[in-house]
Amino acid sequence: MTPDSERGGKRTGRQGGKRAVPQGEQFFTPGASGLRKAVEQRSAVPMTFLFTQVPRWVAPAVMVILLLAGFAVTNPLGGVAVLPVIAFIGWLAYLSWPSLTVGGKLLRVVMLTFLVLLAATRFGAF
């Protein structure tokens, strides 16, 4: 019996208030070369920090706030608010691309296209 089960509480997988790194088959794409390998290696530290040290609600909350600001503000400041959302979604899409199905890839392309068009309208392109 674990201490959590003795208390009747839920096991959270936390040690010292920090989330454990999820277990998986591999963190990096097997056989990756060139740019993908470099991006994956440089992304390892920020991704580990973001997903283990920062509370789970922070990244989605910040992205929603920035996206709402992009919708609400119709001048270039709204476009500036959407740029970090585009960068974050694009970064995650790039990292997850090899493991996605065709539907997942299409959804990410559509989402990024929508966000780029939103930013473009805020900068006065249309």
Side-chain angles (χ1 to χ4, degrees), residues 1 17 24 28 31 39 45 49 51 55 64 66 70 72-73 75 94 96 103 106 115 119 122 125-126:
M1 274 192 138
F28 298 109
V39 169
V45 172
F49 175 77
F51 295 127
V64 166
L66 289 171
V73 180
N75 59 32
Y94 181 79
S96 65
L106 181 63
L115 291 172
R122 298 308 185 237
F126 299 105

Side-chain angles (χ1 to χ4, degrees), residues 18-68:
K18 298 176 184 174
R19 291 191 315 231
V21 176
Q23 293 186 8
E25 294 176 16
Q26 291 189 355
F27 188 71
F28 298 109
T29 304
S33 62
L35 179 64
R36 170 161 292 285
K37 189 173 185 176
V39 169
E40 287 179 352
Q41 288 176 345
R42 289 182 185 222
S43 295
V45 172
M47 209 159 88
T48 303
F49 175 77
L50 180 65
F51 295 127
T52 61
Q53 306 300 313
V54 178
R56 291 179 189 212
W57 59 268
V58 171
V62 169
M63 292 299 116
V64 166
I65 290 168
L66 289 171
L67 189 58
L68 289 175

Side-chain angles (χ1 to χ4, degrees), residues 66-104:
L66 289 171
L67 189 58
L68 289 175
F71 281 126
V73 180
T74 59
N75 59 32
L77 211 52
V80 170
V82 175
L83 291 178
V85 178
I86 293 170
F88 185 74
I89 298 295
W91 175 58
L92 289 179
Y94 181 79
L95 291 176
S96 65
W97 196 262
S99 64
L100 295 174
T101 62
V102 174

